[in-house]
Amino acid sequence: MKKCAVFVMLITVLISSCSISKAAKDKRNLLSGTWTLEDVSYENGIANYKSVIFNDAQDICFEGSDWFFRDNNSTGRYTIAASSLCAAGDRFIRWSVVENPENYSSQLQFKRIDEKNKDITGLGYRLNITTLTANEMVLKSNVAVDGEVINIVYKFTRKS
């Protein structure tokens, strides 16, 4: 009987330690759906920058891209439209929302996967969630350019 009680308590602790915080769960629910990335811009920079984002495509290719987040299995995709600079198509992702205890903020993290949900790049990305409402989302990532920290700002609007 005593062993059974200890076992049940151990399982309860294990399950509760794997669950996400209420704040992260609320953000996951709010993020679920389709968003359009309206604008990619740079803060803290003197000049305009051009960059390859997420080891995928030039920043201009991401403007107008659609992002879909499915919260029930943490998968999704972003779709880039065809142009002379951009290879069109769907890029599949696995994503989550994590709480950053260092600065009390939330981050969207994702990595690229294939159609069978297998990791394809070995790289992951974390973006700070600075705004997340029912219709608007602003994410930021920090990059170093010539020893200077530049923030890339991603502005989304909800599509559906």
Side-chain angles (χ1 to χ4, degrees):
M1 184 68 153
K2 197 173 192 181
K3 288 182 183 180
C4 185
V6 170
F7 180 73
V8 169
M9 189 178 239
L10 186 66
I11 294 296
T12 303
V13 168
L14 182 62
I15 290 172
S16 66
S17 68
C18 293
S19 65
I20 61 175
S21 71
K22 180 176 176 0
K25 191 179 292 187
D26 290 346
K27 286 187 172 95
R28 281 180 58 84
N29 291 338
L30 204 51
L31 213 132
S32 182
T34 304
W35 298 80
T36 299
L37 178 52
E38 301 288 346
D39 184 56
V40 178
S41 61
Y42 299 87
E43 287 181 340
N44 305 343
I46 298 169
N48 285 337
Y49 293 95
K50 289 184 180 182
S51 61
V52 172
I53 298 177
F54 311 129
N55 291 328
D56 184 11
Q58 291 184 28
D59 50 5
I60 192 74
C61 297
F62 283 88
E63 292 185 359
S65 63
D66 287 330
W67 291 64
F68 174 69
F69 299 95
R70 180 181 294 118
D71 66 343
N72 66 348
N73 69 358
S74 301
T75 61
R77 71 178 173 282
Y78 61 89
T79 305
I80 294 179
S83 78
S84 60
L85 297 174
C86 310
D90 290 334
R91 279 73 159 167
F92 299 97
I93 61 172
R94 178 167 309 282
W95 66 278
S96 63
V97 174
V98 294
E99 297 299 314
N100 186 347
E102 293 175 9
N103 59 8
Y104 305 103
S105 68
S106 299
Q107 295 177 317
L108 169 68
Q109 70 177 6
F110 72 92
K111 66 180 182 173
R112 299 262 313 271
I113 57 175
D114 64 16
E115 297 84 7
K116 296 179 181 180
N117 296 334
K118 303 284 188 216
D119 182 15
I120 59 173
T121 64
L123 300 174
Y125 307 95
R126 279 198 179 186
L127 307 170
N128 297 317
I129 301 172
T130 59
T131 303
L132 180 57
T133 67
N135 297 312
E136 178 186 19
M137 176 170 56
V138 178
L139 307 174
K140 292 183 180 181
S141 62
N142 302 326
V143 295
V145 177
D146 297 329
E148 181 182 0
V149 175
I150 306 294
N151 292 322
I152 303 176
V153 181
Y154 309 87
K155 294 182 183 176
F156 293 81
T157 57
R158 182 173 295 279
K159 188 170 182 178
S160 62

